[in-house]
Amino acid sequence: MNERYSRQILFQPVGKSGQEKLSNSRVLLVGCGALGAAHAEMLARAGVGKLRIVDRDFVEYTNLQRQTLFSEADAKERLPKAIAAKNRIAQINSETRVEAIVADVNHSNVENLIKDCDLVLDGTDNFQIRYLINDACVKLEKTWIYGAAVSSYGATMTIFPYKTPCLRCIFEEMPSAGSAPTCDTAGVIMPIIASVSAIQVSEALKILTGNFDRLHKSLIQIDVWQNDWRKIKLGKPNADCECCGKGNFEFLEAESIEFSAVLCGRNAVQIAPPKPTRINLPNLAEKLKSYGEIKLNEYLLRLNIDEYELTVFRDARAIIQGTDDVSTARSVYAKYVGS
Ligand SMILES: [Zn+2]
C-alpha cells in the first residue's frame, strides 16, 4: 500500500483494508461547483480509485471565492468545470482515475451515470435535479448523499433506499420556484461549503470502508453564521412516499425534458436540445465570425453578441449570459445556434 495514505491507514476505522476498499471504489459526483469541487478534492486525496465527475458549466471568476479546485487560469480559459477538476486532480493524486463528463444530468442519462457507481454525492444547486437523483438512486438501490448550501446555511442527509427515508419522504413536494433562497439572491460564504462537504465526505468514507454503524442517520442542518447546529433523527421510510413507498418515479419518467434552466447566481440561462447531439464547433465558429471575436477551445465556443454572452458546448447546449429570461435566451439560441 502506498505510503501517501499512511496517516489515514493509522486511523483505525479505515486501516489497511479500508484503504484497499477506497482504492477499489467508484463514486459519482453530480455537479462540480462549490460542494462538488470539495468532494472531488477530498475523495481524491483519500485515495478513492475512480471518480466520475459530471458538470454542465464552465469556470468563472465569481466561482473562485469558494470553489477550491479552480484557478484564475481556468476562469480565464473558461474551462468546463469537469475538465478543470480532472486536470487539477491529476496534479493532486495521479492514482485516482477521473472520468470528466461535460453534460447536463437529466432523465435520459442519469441511470447510466449512476448504475456502475458505488455511491452518489450531490453537489448540485437545485431541487429539480435532486429529485431526479433521488428517483434514480431509489430505483437502482444506490446510496446517495444529499447536500445543499446557500448563504451561511446548509443541510445534508444520507439516503439508503428502502432502509432510510428518501428525499421525498422528508421533502414531499419540491419548493416552488422563487420560494427558496439561492446563491443569486442570498450569496454564499465558503465555510458553509466546507462544513456541509466535510459531513458528506465523512459519510462517504464510512460507507466505502464499511463503517455503517458510525453514520449520522439524521437530517443535519447547520448555520455557521448563526451558530446553529441541528440534528433531526430519521425514522423509517414513509410508506406513503410517492418515490420509495409507491414506486412512482415521476422525475425519471417525465415525458418532456427540461429544455431550459435559469442558472443559480448567474443572470444566465441554459438551453439544452431535447436530445443530446454533437455539434461541430469550428463550423459554428466559421458561421458566427462576422458577429464578433470568437473564443474557441476543444470544449466550447464563446461569443459576445449585443448585451449577451453566448457559450456553446459540444453537446449543443448553450449558456446565455446577460438575461434570466428563458424566452429571451431561447430566441438568442435559435438565432445563432439554431433551434
Ligand atoms: Zn421516500
Side-chain angles (χ1 to χ4, degrees):
M1 187 58 65
N2 195 318
E3 194 188 346
R4 69 187 292 153
Y5 304 117
S6 62
R7 300 306 185 273
Q8 189 167 277
I9 290 168
L10 270 177
F11 179 67
Q12 190 272 327
V14 175
K16 270 192 180 161
S17 72
Q19 194 62 48
E20 193 110 21
K21 286 174 188 157
L22 292 177
S23 76
N24 291 324
S25 298
R26 175 187 277 133
V27 178
L28 172 66
L29 306 183
V30 186
C32 195
L35 287 173
H39 302 151
E41 177 169 358
M42 283 191 263
L43 292 174
R45 288 189 190 275
V48 169
K50 296 183 200 109
L51 295 177
R52 177 176 293 156
I53 301 177
V54 193
D55 192 280
R56 64 185 180 187
D57 215 343
F58 52 85
V59 182
E60 292 187 290
Y61 284 100
T62 57
N63 301 150
L64 301 181
Q65 162 251 355
R66 64 194 181 284
Q67 304 192 10
T68 49
L69 273 185
F70 308 132
S71 66
E72 290 182 359
D74 297 329
K76 193 168 176 224
E77 278 289 305
R78 300 274 170 136
L79 273 187
K81 290 181 178 178
I83 304 293
K86 181 182 171 132
N87 294 346
R88 178 70 182 123
I89 287 169
Q91 298 172 326
I92 292 171
N93 189 347
S94 57
E95 293 173 351
T96 294
R97 294 224 314 265
V98 176
E99 195 185 340
I101 301 175
V102 184
D104 192 35
V105 175
N106 58 44
H107 83 260
S108 72
N109 60 11
V110 65
E111 290 180 65
N112 267 333
L113 290 168
I114 287 174
K115 68 182 179 196
D116 57 346
C117 290
D118 300 298
L119 179 66
V120 179
L121 260 70
D122 170 22
T124 68
D125 62 3
N126 68 84
F127 261 92
Q128 181 87 31
I129 190 158
R130 290 190 186 111
Y131 279 66
L132 182 72
I133 295 169
N134 190 62
D135 270 8
C137 285
V138 169
K139 185 177 171 190
L140 299 171
E141 293 191 47
K142 292 282 181 189
T143 306
W144 76 282
I145 306 175
Y146 155 69
V150 65
S151 180
S152 58
Y153 166 84
T156 178
M157 175 170 108
T158 302
I159 292 147
F160 286 86
Y162 305 112
K163 295 192 182 103
T164 69
C166 80
L167 191 70
R168 286 196 82 183
C169 290
I170 304 293
F171 306 107
E172 207 172 311
E173 296 294 334
M174 200 170 350
S176 58
S179 68
T182 68
C183 303
D184 197 8
T185 57
V188 60
I189 56 172
M190 181 157 174
I192 190 58
I193 303 294
S195 305
V196 171
S197 62
I199 298 170
Q200 286 180 287
V201 173
S202 301
E203 292 279 282
L205 295 179
K206 294 170 201 171
I207 291 164
L208 296 174
T209 58
N211 286 281
F212 298 101
D213 56 324
R214 301 316 307 158
L215 293 164
H216 61 67
K217 301 181 184 72
S218 32
L219 171 64
I220 292 184
Q221 297 173 315
I222 307 170
D223 191 319
V224 292
W225 206 261
Q226 304 302 333
N227 313 306
D228 199 11
W229 290 68
R230 261 178 246 185
K231 209 171 149 200
I232 301 161
K233 276 279 162 209
L234 297 175
K236 291 214 169 336
N238 175 3
D240 294 327
C241 170
E242 282 298 326
C243 178
C244 73
K246 297 181 183 168
N248 175 13
F249 304 119
E250 61 182 285
F251 293 86
L252 278 182
E253 286 151 10
E255 284 287 314
S256 60
I257 296 182
E258 178 76 354
F259 183 77
S260 55
V262 179
L263 301 181
C264 170
R266 295 277 304 279
N267 190 32
V269 176
Q270 171 185 262
I271 302 288
K275 280 205 179 106
T277 51
R278 268 296 202 230
I279 198 164
N280 185 322
L281 292 178
N283 282 1
L284 183 65
E286 189 60 30
K287 258 178 32 190
L288 295 176
K289 68 178 182 194
S290 62
Y291 292 103
E293 193 197 337
I294 289 175
K295 290 242 164 89
L296 180 66
N297 66 31
E298 204 186 325
Y299 314 103
L300 56 84
L301 171 159
R302 184 164 52 107
L303 171 66
N304 287 297
I305 298 177
D306 304 326
E307 67 266 49
Y308 309 113
E309 186 185 88
L310 176 68
T311 304
V312 185
F313 296 88
R314 284 192 303 200
D315 61 0
R317 271 180 319 114
I319 291 174
I320 292 106
Q321 240 166 331
T323 181
D324 53 13
D325 180 65
V326 168
S327 57
T328 305
R330 273 191 185 144
S331 72
V332 171
Y333 185 92
K335 199 163 157 194
Y336 299 106
V337 186
S339 45

